[in-house]
PDB file of all heavy atoms in Angstrom:
ATOM      1  N   ARG A 132     -85.783  19.618  31.203  1.00  0.00           N
ATOM      2  CA  ARG A 132     -85.892  18.355  31.915  1.00  0.00           C
ATOM      3  C   ARG A 132     -84.986  17.302  31.152  1.00  0.00           C
ATOM      4  O   ARG A 132     -83.945  16.988  31.746  1.00  0.00           O
ATOM      5  CB  ARG A 132     -87.343  17.893  31.863  1.00  0.00           C
ATOM      6  CG  ARG A 132     -88.256  18.734  32.538  1.00  0.00           C
ATOM      7  CD  ARG A 132     -89.567  18.019  32.755  1.00  0.00           C
ATOM      8  NE  ARG A 132     -90.547  19.004  33.262  1.00  0.00           N
ATOM      9  CZ  ARG A 132     -91.755  18.759  33.698  1.00  0.00           C
ATOM     10  NH1 ARG A 132     -92.264  17.429  33.464  1.00  0.00           N
ATOM     11  NH2 ARG A 132     -92.562  19.651  34.100  1.00  0.00           N
ATOM     12  N   ALA A 186     -53.992   4.613 -35.738  1.00  0.00           N
ATOM     13  CA  ALA A 186     -53.727   4.415 -34.290  1.00  0.00           C
ATOM     14  C   ALA A 186     -52.446   4.984 -33.844  1.00  0.00           C
ATOM     15  O   ALA A 186     -52.110   5.018 -32.605  1.00  0.00           O
ATOM     16  CB  ALA A 186     -53.919   2.998 -33.856  1.00  0.00           C
ATOM     17  N   ASP A 188     -48.706   7.564 -35.168  1.00  0.00           N
ATOM     18  CA  ASP A 188     -48.079   8.539 -36.152  1.00  0.00           C
ATOM     19  C   ASP A 188     -47.206   7.530 -37.109  1.00  0.00           C
ATOM     20  O   ASP A 188     -46.530   6.644 -36.656  1.00  0.00           O
ATOM     21  CB  ASP A 188     -47.086   9.459 -35.515  1.00  0.00           C
ATOM     22  CG  ASP A 188     -47.878  10.486 -34.582  1.00  0.00           C
ATOM     23  OD1 ASP A 188     -49.044  10.688 -34.751  1.00  0.00           O
ATOM     24  OD2 ASP A 188     -47.166  10.854 -33.611  1.00  0.00           O
ATOM     25  N   VAL A 233     -43.668   5.249 -37.286  1.00  0.00           N
ATOM     26  CA  VAL A 233     -42.448   5.908 -37.640  1.00  0.00           C
ATOM     27  C   VAL A 233     -41.127   5.098 -37.199  1.00  0.00           C
ATOM     28  O   VAL A 233     -40.200   5.050 -37.911  1.00  0.00           O
ATOM     29  CB  VAL A 233     -42.354   7.317 -37.077  1.00  0.00           C
ATOM     30  CG1 VAL A 233     -41.033   7.936 -37.244  1.00  0.00           C
ATOM     31  CG2 VAL A 233     -43.350   8.148 -37.663  1.00  0.00           C
ATOM     32  N   CYS A 238     -34.119   6.421 -42.054  1.00  0.00           N
ATOM     33  CA  CYS A 238     -33.804   7.307 -43.163  1.00  0.00           C
ATOM     34  C   CYS A 238     -32.284   7.698 -43.300  1.00  0.00           C
ATOM     35  O   CYS A 238     -31.895   8.745 -43.442  1.00  0.00           O
ATOM     36  CB  CYS A 238     -34.644   8.558 -43.079  1.00  0.00           C
ATOM     37  SG  CYS A 238     -34.563   9.504 -41.739  1.00  0.00           S
ATOM     38  N   ASP A 261     -63.962   1.364 -30.281  1.00  0.00           N
ATOM     39  CA  ASP A 261     -63.897   1.915 -29.018  1.00  0.00           C
ATOM     40  C   ASP A 261     -65.328   1.789 -28.282  1.00  0.00           C
ATOM     41  O   ASP A 261     -65.411   1.178 -27.284  1.00  0.00           O
ATOM     42  CB  ASP A 261     -63.559   3.463 -29.042  1.00  0.00           C
ATOM     43  CG  ASP A 261     -62.927   3.993 -27.769  1.00  0.00           C
ATOM     44  OD1 ASP A 261     -63.005   3.285 -26.717  1.00  0.00           O
ATOM     45  OD2 ASP A 261     -62.415   5.110 -27.769  1.00  0.00           O
ATOM     46  N   ARG A 273     -73.848   6.559 -11.651  1.00  0.00           N
ATOM     47  CA  ARG A 273     -72.459   6.660 -11.754  1.00  0.00           C
ATOM     48  C   ARG A 273     -71.869   8.190 -11.574  1.00  0.00           C
ATOM     49  O   ARG A 273     -72.512   9.063 -12.150  1.00  0.00           O
ATOM     50  CB  ARG A 273     -72.100   6.246 -13.200  1.00  0.00           C
ATOM     51  CG  ARG A 273     -70.809   6.761 -13.797  1.00  0.00           C
ATOM     52  CD  ARG A 273     -69.611   5.914 -13.719  1.00  0.00           C
ATOM     53  NE  ARG A 273     -68.470   6.429 -14.449  1.00  0.00           N
ATOM     54  CZ  ARG A 273     -67.463   5.745 -14.919  1.00  0.00           C
ATOM     55  NH1 ARG A 273     -67.518   4.365 -14.746  1.00  0.00           N
ATOM     56  NH2 ARG A 273     -66.568   6.235 -15.609  1.00  0.00           N
ATOM     57  N   ARG A 276     -66.955  11.451 -14.446  1.00  0.00           N
ATOM     58  CA  ARG A 276     -65.649  11.957 -14.335  1.00  0.00           C
ATOM     59  C   ARG A 276     -65.226  12.775 -15.624  1.00  0.00           C
ATOM     60  O   ARG A 276     -65.996  12.665 -16.687  1.00  0.00           O
ATOM     61  CB  ARG A 276     -64.667  10.737 -14.241  1.00  0.00           C
ATOM     62  CG  ARG A 276     -65.180   9.658 -13.081  1.00  0.00           C
ATOM     63  CD  ARG A 276     -64.094   8.686 -12.649  1.00  0.00           C
ATOM     64  NE  ARG A 276     -63.677   7.947 -13.776  1.00  0.00           N
ATOM     65  CZ  ARG A 276     -63.749   6.637 -13.893  1.00  0.00           C
ATOM     66  NH1 ARG A 276     -64.381   5.878 -12.892  1.00  0.00           N
ATOM     67  NH2 ARG A 276     -63.209   5.966 -14.877  1.00  0.00           N
ATOM     68  N   LEU A 363     -81.757  21.831  25.637  1.00  0.00           N
ATOM     69  CA  LEU A 363     -82.644  21.707  26.730  1.00  0.00           C
ATOM     70  C   LEU A 363     -82.795  22.917  27.568  1.00  0.00           C
ATOM     71  O   LEU A 363     -83.532  23.046  28.519  1.00  0.00           O
ATOM     72  CB  LEU A 363     -82.320  20.585  27.663  1.00  0.00           C
ATOM     73  CG  LEU A 363     -82.222  19.204  27.014  1.00  0.00           C
ATOM     74  CD1 LEU A 363     -81.700  18.199  28.064  1.00  0.00           C
ATOM     75  CD2 LEU A 363     -83.644  18.819  26.477  1.00  0.00           C
ATOM     76  N   SER A 431     -73.668   7.735  -2.849  1.00  0.00           N
ATOM     77  CA  SER A 431     -73.728   6.756  -1.715  1.00  0.00           C
ATOM     78  C   SER A 431     -73.896   7.542  -0.422  1.00  0.00           C
ATOM     79  O   SER A 431     -73.259   8.649  -0.240  1.00  0.00           O
ATOM     80  CB  SER A 431     -72.375   5.972  -1.546  1.00  0.00           C
ATOM     81  OG  SER A 431     -72.307   5.453  -0.310  1.00  0.00           O
ATOM     82  N   ASN A 475     -68.606  16.934  25.491  1.00  0.00           N
ATOM     83  CA  ASN A 475     -67.985  18.211  25.259  1.00  0.00           C
ATOM     84  C   ASN A 475     -67.035  18.130  24.036  1.00  0.00           C
ATOM     85  O   ASN A 475     -66.031  17.322  24.150  1.00  0.00           O
ATOM     86  CB  ASN A 475     -67.359  18.745  26.458  1.00  0.00           C
ATOM     87  CG  ASN A 475     -68.359  19.177  27.482  1.00  0.00           C
ATOM     88  OD1 ASN A 475     -69.422  19.734  27.135  1.00  0.00           O
ATOM     89  ND2 ASN A 475     -67.962  19.067  28.737  1.00  0.00           N
ATOM     90  N   SER A 477     -64.523  20.392  21.806  1.00  0.00           N
ATOM     91  CA  SER A 477     -63.985  21.694  21.539  1.00  0.00           C
ATOM     92  C   SER A 477     -63.644  21.778  20.011  1.00  0.00           C
ATOM     93  O   SER A 477     -63.355  20.797  19.470  1.00  0.00           O
ATOM     94  CB  SER A 477     -62.704  21.828  22.288  1.00  0.00           C
ATOM     95  OG  SER A 477     -61.708  20.961  21.846  1.00  0.00           O
ATOM     96  N   SER A 479     -61.077  23.000  18.796  1.00  0.00           N
ATOM     97  CA  SER A 479     -59.646  22.736  18.527  1.00  0.00           C
ATOM     98  C   SER A 479     -59.495  21.198  18.495  1.00  0.00           C
ATOM     99  O   SER A 479     -58.607  20.815  17.790  1.00  0.00           O
ATOM    100  CB  SER A 479     -58.820  23.310  19.659  1.00  0.00           C
ATOM    101  OG  SER A 479     -59.036  22.624  20.900  1.00  0.00           O
ATOM    102  N   VAL A 481     -61.443  19.164  16.954  1.00  0.00           N
ATOM    103  CA  VAL A 481     -61.813  18.841  15.574  1.00  0.00           C
ATOM    104  C   VAL A 481     -60.664  19.230  14.729  1.00  0.00           C
ATOM    105  O   VAL A 481     -60.238  18.515  13.730  1.00  0.00           O
ATOM    106  CB  VAL A 481     -63.091  19.482  15.179  1.00  0.00           C
ATOM    107  CG1 VAL A 481     -63.455  19.154  13.760  1.00  0.00           C
ATOM    108  CG2 VAL A 481     -64.268  18.958  16.135  1.00  0.00           C
ATOM    109  N   VAL A 482     -60.111  20.465  14.996  1.00  0.00           N
ATOM    110  CA  VAL A 482     -59.079  20.964  14.089  1.00  0.00           C
ATOM    111  C   VAL A 482     -57.834  20.216  14.116  1.00  0.00           C
ATOM    112  O   VAL A 482     -57.156  19.908  13.169  1.00  0.00           O
ATOM    113  CB  VAL A 482     -58.802  22.461  14.362  1.00  0.00           C
ATOM    114  CG1 VAL A 482     -57.633  23.029  13.610  1.00  0.00           C
ATOM    115  CG2 VAL A 482     -60.039  23.301  14.057  1.00  0.00           C
ATOM    116  N   ALA A 484     -57.518  17.143  14.887  1.00  0.00           N
ATOM    117  CA  ALA A 484     -57.859  15.728  14.598  1.00  0.00           C
ATOM    118  C   ALA A 484     -57.521  15.482  13.146  1.00  0.00           C
ATOM    119  O   ALA A 484     -57.627  16.240  12.245  1.00  0.00           O
ATOM    120  CB  ALA A 484     -59.268  15.335  14.790  1.00  0.00           C
ATOM    121  N   TRP A 512     -52.744  12.379   0.827  1.00  0.00           N
ATOM    122  CA  TRP A 512     -51.972  13.014  -0.204  1.00  0.00           C
ATOM    123  C   TRP A 512     -52.072  14.516  -0.021  1.00  0.00           C
ATOM    124  O   TRP A 512     -51.297  15.222  -0.761  1.00  0.00           O
ATOM    125  CB  TRP A 512     -52.435  12.633  -1.572  1.00  0.00           C
ATOM    126  CG  TRP A 512     -53.838  13.038  -1.931  1.00  0.00           C
ATOM    127  CD1 TRP A 512     -54.211  14.224  -2.309  1.00  0.00           C
ATOM    128  CD2 TRP A 512     -55.043  12.269  -1.954  1.00  0.00           C
ATOM    129  NE1 TRP A 512     -55.536  14.249  -2.621  1.00  0.00           N
ATOM    130  CE2 TRP A 512     -56.092  13.057  -2.292  1.00  0.00           C
ATOM    131  CE3 TRP A 512     -55.304  10.931  -1.491  1.00  0.00           C
ATOM    132  CZ2 TRP A 512     -57.460  12.593  -2.362  1.00  0.00           C
ATOM    133  CZ3 TRP A 512     -56.572  10.509  -1.526  1.00  0.00           C
ATOM    134  CH2 TRP A 512     -57.650  11.405  -2.023  1.00  0.00           C
TER     135      TRP A 512
ATOM    136  N   ARG B  68     -38.999  10.752 -37.461  1.00  0.00           N
ATOM    137  CA  ARG B  68     -38.013   9.692 -37.256  1.00  0.00           C
ATOM    138  C   ARG B  68     -38.211   9.104 -35.913  1.00  0.00           C
ATOM    139  O   ARG B  68     -38.696   7.911 -35.806  1.00  0.00           O
ATOM    140  CB  ARG B  68     -36.608  10.430 -37.198  1.00  0.00           C
ATOM    141  CG  ARG B  68     -36.239  10.904 -38.657  1.00  0.00           C
ATOM    142  CD  ARG B  68     -34.805  11.172 -38.793  1.00  0.00           C
ATOM    143  NE  ARG B  68     -34.670  11.951 -40.073  1.00  0.00           N
ATOM    144  CZ  ARG B  68     -33.303  12.359 -40.470  1.00  0.00           C
ATOM    145  NH1 ARG B  68     -32.368  12.142 -39.680  1.00  0.00           N
ATOM    146  NH2 ARG B  68     -33.176  13.069 -41.554  1.00  0.00           N
ATOM    147  N   ALA B 122     -70.449  24.759  29.642  1.00  0.00           N
ATOM    148  CA  ALA B 122     -70.178  23.718  28.743  1.00  0.00           C
ATOM    149  C   ALA B 122     -71.292  22.778  28.521  1.00  0.00           C
ATOM    150  O   ALA B 122     -71.206  21.963  27.595  1.00  0.00           O
ATOM    151  CB  ALA B 122     -68.992  22.827  29.337  1.00  0.00           C
ATOM    152  N   ASP B 124     -76.065  22.614  28.849  1.00  0.00           N
ATOM    153  CA  ASP B 124     -77.347  23.257  29.206  1.00  0.00           C
ATOM    154  C   ASP B 124     -77.568  22.846  30.646  1.00  0.00           C
ATOM    155  O   ASP B 124     -77.457  21.764  31.047  1.00  0.00           O
ATOM    156  CB  ASP B 124     -78.479  22.718  28.265  1.00  0.00           C
ATOM    157  CG  ASP B 124     -78.249  23.154  26.857  1.00  0.00           C
ATOM    158  OD1 ASP B 124     -77.637  24.136  26.598  1.00  0.00           O
ATOM    159  OD2 ASP B 124     -78.802  22.344  26.103  1.00  0.00           O
ATOM    160  N   TYR B 126     -77.877  24.663  34.946  1.00  0.00           N
ATOM    161  CA  TYR B 126     -78.006  25.651  35.920  1.00  0.00           C
ATOM    162  C   TYR B 126     -76.660  26.034  36.413  1.00  0.00           C
ATOM    163  O   TYR B 126     -75.978  25.221  36.854  1.00  0.00           O
ATOM    164  CB  TYR B 126     -78.931  25.265  37.072  1.00  0.00           C
ATOM    165  CG  TYR B 126     -80.338  24.943  36.469  1.00  0.00           C
ATOM    166  CD1 TYR B 126     -80.679  23.673  36.195  1.00  0.00           C
ATOM    167  CD2 TYR B 126     -81.362  25.976  36.448  1.00  0.00           C
ATOM    168  CE1 TYR B 126     -81.905  23.343  35.784  1.00  0.00           C
ATOM    169  CE2 TYR B 126     -82.597  25.580  36.108  1.00  0.00           C
ATOM    170  CZ  TYR B 126     -82.939  24.326  35.700  1.00  0.00           C
ATOM    171  OH  TYR B 126     -84.183  24.008  35.297  1.00  0.00           O
ATOM    172  N   VAL B 169     -78.932  19.667  33.109  1.00  0.00           N
ATOM    173  CA  VAL B 169     -80.279  19.384  33.343  1.00  0.00           C
ATOM    174  C   VAL B 169     -80.561  18.009  33.849  1.00  0.00           C
ATOM    175  O   VAL B 169     -81.454  17.843  34.620  1.00  0.00           O
ATOM    176  CB  VAL B 169     -81.021  19.752  31.951  1.00  0.00           C
ATOM    177  CG1 VAL B 169     -82.463  19.339  32.015  1.00  0.00           C
ATOM    178  CG2 VAL B 169     -80.935  21.186  31.634  1.00  0.00           C
ATOM    179  N   CYS B 174     -87.907  17.388  38.428  1.00  0.00           N
ATOM    180  CA  CYS B 174     -88.894  18.384  38.728  1.00  0.00           C
ATOM    181  C   CYS B 174     -90.202  17.625  38.834  1.00  0.00           C
ATOM    182  O   CYS B 174     -91.193  17.997  38.450  1.00  0.00           O
ATOM    183  CB  CYS B 174     -89.009  19.533  37.694  1.00  0.00           C
ATOM    184  SG  CYS B 174     -89.303  18.983  35.997  1.00  0.00           S
ATOM    185  N   ASP B 197     -59.691  26.084  25.077  1.00  0.00           N
ATOM    186  CA  ASP B 197     -59.718  25.446  23.804  1.00  0.00           C
ATOM    187  C   ASP B 197     -58.443  25.772  23.115  1.00  0.00           C
ATOM    188  O   ASP B 197     -57.716  24.882  22.656  1.00  0.00           O
ATOM    189  CB  ASP B 197     -60.930  25.988  23.051  1.00  0.00           C
ATOM    190  CG  ASP B 197     -61.431  25.020  21.964  1.00  0.00           C
ATOM    191  OD1 ASP B 197     -60.676  24.180  21.566  1.00  0.00           O
ATOM    192  OD2 ASP B 197     -62.368  25.331  21.386  1.00  0.00           O
ATOM    193  N   ARG B 209     -50.805  23.248   5.445  1.00  0.00           N
ATOM    194  CA  ARG B 209     -51.962  22.421   5.861  1.00  0.00           C
ATOM    195  C   ARG B 209     -53.119  22.768   4.901  1.00  0.00           C
ATOM    196  O   ARG B 209     -53.422  23.941   4.673  1.00  0.00           O
ATOM    197  CB  ARG B 209     -52.181  22.847   7.374  1.00  0.00           C
ATOM    198  CG  ARG B 209     -53.739  22.770   7.772  1.00  0.00           C
ATOM    199  CD  ARG B 209     -54.062  21.499   8.559  1.00  0.00           C
ATOM    200  NE  ARG B 209     -55.376  21.530   9.098  1.00  0.00           N
ATOM    201  CZ  ARG B 209     -55.849  20.860  10.096  1.00  0.00           C
ATOM    202  NH1 ARG B 209     -54.865  20.119  10.847  1.00  0.00           N
ATOM    203  NH2 ARG B 209     -57.039  20.927  10.488  1.00  0.00           N
ATOM    204  N   ARG B 212     -59.565  23.096   6.367  1.00  0.00           N
ATOM    205  CA  ARG B 212     -60.790  22.423   6.344  1.00  0.00           C
ATOM    206  C   ARG B 212     -61.937  23.355   6.905  1.00  0.00           C
ATOM    207  O   ARG B 212     -61.648  24.383   7.410  1.00  0.00           O
ATOM    208  CB  ARG B 212     -60.775  21.106   7.261  1.00  0.00           C
ATOM    209  CG  ARG B 212     -59.577  20.298   6.803  1.00  0.00           C
ATOM    210  CD  ARG B 212     -59.575  18.902   7.436  1.00  0.00           C
ATOM    211  NE  ARG B 212     -59.716  18.943   8.998  1.00  0.00           N
ATOM    212  CZ  ARG B 212     -58.900  18.289   9.717  1.00  0.00           C
ATOM    213  NH1 ARG B 212     -57.763  17.807   9.289  1.00  0.00           N
ATOM    214  NH2 ARG B 212     -59.031  18.338  11.008  1.00  0.00           N
ATOM    215  N   LEU B 299     -44.798  12.614 -33.768  1.00  0.00           N
ATOM    216  CA  LEU B 299     -43.784  12.537 -34.689  1.00  0.00           C
ATOM    217  C   LEU B 299     -44.267  12.732 -36.191  1.00  0.00           C
ATOM    218  O   LEU B 299     -43.625  12.546 -37.054  1.00  0.00           O
ATOM    219  CB  LEU B 299     -43.096  11.192 -34.599  1.00  0.00           C
ATOM    220  CG  LEU B 299     -42.379  10.830 -33.334  1.00  0.00           C
ATOM    221  CD1 LEU B 299     -42.065   9.313 -33.222  1.00  0.00           C
ATOM    222  CD2 LEU B 299     -41.300  11.799 -33.007  1.00  0.00           C
ATOM    223  N   SER B 367     -49.353  18.123  -1.769  1.00  0.00           N
ATOM    224  CA  SER B 367     -48.475  17.063  -2.013  1.00  0.00           C
ATOM    225  C   SER B 367     -48.569  16.815  -3.487  1.00  0.00           C
ATOM    226  O   SER B 367     -49.618  16.829  -4.092  1.00  0.00           O
ATOM    227  CB  SER B 367     -48.914  15.896  -1.232  1.00  0.00           C
ATOM    228  OG  SER B 367     -48.362  14.784  -1.866  1.00  0.00           O
ATOM    229  N   ASN B 411     -51.570   2.187 -27.248  1.00  0.00           N
ATOM    230  CA  ASN B 411     -52.924   2.756 -27.733  1.00  0.00           C
ATOM    231  C   ASN B 411     -53.892   2.673 -26.560  1.00  0.00           C
ATOM    232  O   ASN B 411     -54.087   1.692 -25.904  1.00  0.00           O
ATOM    233  CB  ASN B 411     -53.462   1.782 -28.791  1.00  0.00           C
ATOM    234  CG  ASN B 411     -52.754   1.970 -30.151  1.00  0.00           C
ATOM    235  OD1 ASN B 411     -52.303   3.028 -30.426  1.00  0.00           O
ATOM    236  ND2 ASN B 411     -52.611   0.768 -30.857  1.00  0.00           N
ATOM    237  N   SER B 413     -57.699   3.689 -25.593  1.00  0.00           N
ATOM    238  CA  SER B 413     -59.023   4.127 -26.096  1.00  0.00           C
ATOM    239  C   SER B 413     -59.608   4.839 -24.925  1.00  0.00           C
ATOM    240  O   SER B 413     -59.490   4.580 -23.767  1.00  0.00           O
ATOM    241  CB  SER B 413     -59.741   2.962 -26.451  1.00  0.00           C
ATOM    242  OG  SER B 413     -60.251   2.180 -25.308  1.00  0.00           O
ATOM    243  N   SER B 415     -62.706   4.684 -24.085  1.00  0.00           N
ATOM    244  CA  SER B 415     -63.600   3.874 -23.419  1.00  0.00           C
ATOM    245  C   SER B 415     -62.912   2.985 -22.335  1.00  0.00           C
ATOM    246  O   SER B 415     -63.431   2.676 -21.331  1.00  0.00           O
ATOM    247  CB  SER B 415     -64.331   2.894 -24.398  1.00  0.00           C
ATOM    248  OG  SER B 415     -63.472   1.956 -24.846  1.00  0.00           O
ATOM    249  N   VAL B 417     -60.562   4.061 -20.453  1.00  0.00           N
ATOM    250  CA  VAL B 417     -60.477   5.064 -19.326  1.00  0.00           C
ATOM    251  C   VAL B 417     -61.776   5.135 -18.581  1.00  0.00           C
ATOM    252  O   VAL B 417     -61.868   5.115 -17.402  1.00  0.00           O
ATOM    253  CB  VAL B 417     -59.953   6.405 -19.709  1.00  0.00           C
ATOM    254  CG1 VAL B 417     -59.783   7.284 -18.538  1.00  0.00           C
ATOM    255  CG2 VAL B 417     -58.585   6.277 -20.485  1.00  0.00           C
ATOM    256  N   VAL B 418     -62.777   5.179 -19.366  1.00  0.00           N
ATOM    257  CA  VAL B 418     -64.195   5.387 -18.876  1.00  0.00           C
ATOM    258  C   VAL B 418     -64.595   4.135 -18.090  1.00  0.00           C
ATOM    259  O   VAL B 418     -65.228   4.226 -17.046  1.00  0.00           O
ATOM    260  CB  VAL B 418     -65.106   5.741 -19.901  1.00  0.00           C
ATOM    261  CG1 VAL B 418     -66.573   5.661 -19.376  1.00  0.00           C
ATOM    262  CG2 VAL B 418     -64.836   7.171 -20.414  1.00  0.00           C
ATOM    263  N   ALA B 420     -62.635   2.025 -16.662  1.00  0.00           N
ATOM    264  CA  ALA B 420     -61.672   1.762 -15.588  1.00  0.00           C
ATOM    265  C   ALA B 420     -62.239   2.235 -14.274  1.00  0.00           C
ATOM    266  O   ALA B 420     -62.794   3.273 -14.132  1.00  0.00           O
ATOM    267  CB  ALA B 420     -60.315   2.263 -15.951  1.00  0.00           C
ATOM    268  N   TRP B 448     -66.897   5.405  -2.015  1.00  0.00           N
ATOM    269  CA  TRP B 448     -68.096   5.878  -1.482  1.00  0.00           C
ATOM    270  C   TRP B 448     -69.008   6.581  -2.475  1.00  0.00           C
ATOM    271  O   TRP B 448     -70.125   6.906  -2.148  1.00  0.00           O
ATOM    272  CB  TRP B 448     -67.830   6.751  -0.242  1.00  0.00           C
ATOM    273  CG  TRP B 448     -67.082   8.121  -0.595  1.00  0.00           C
ATOM    274  CD1 TRP B 448     -67.688   9.145  -1.172  1.00  0.00           C
ATOM    275  CD2 TRP B 448     -65.773   8.295  -0.454  1.00  0.00           C
ATOM    276  NE1 TRP B 448     -66.799  10.156  -1.351  1.00  0.00           N
ATOM    277  CE2 TRP B 448     -65.589   9.654  -0.959  1.00  0.00           C
ATOM    278  CE3 TRP B 448     -64.630   7.674  -0.039  1.00  0.00           C
ATOM    279  CZ2 TRP B 448     -64.308  10.409  -0.950  1.00  0.00           C
ATOM    280  CZ3 TRP B 448     -63.429   8.284  -0.014  1.00  0.00           C
ATOM    281  CH2 TRP B 448     -63.232   9.587  -0.479  1.00  0.00           C
TER     282      TRP B 448
END
Side-chain angles (χ1 to χ4, degrees):
Chain A
R132 294 194 190 179
D188 297 333
V233 170
C238 56
D261 201 350
R273 150 99 172 205
R276 310 193 305 240
L363 302 171
S431 162
N475 287 329
S477 71
S479 71
V481 177
V482 168
W512 67 80
Chain B
R68 294 196 190 178
D124 297 332
Y126 299 89
V169 169
C174 57
D197 199 352
R209 149 98 173 208
R212 309 192 307 239
L299 302 171
S367 160
N411 287 329
S413 70
S415 71
V417 178
V418 168
W448 66 80

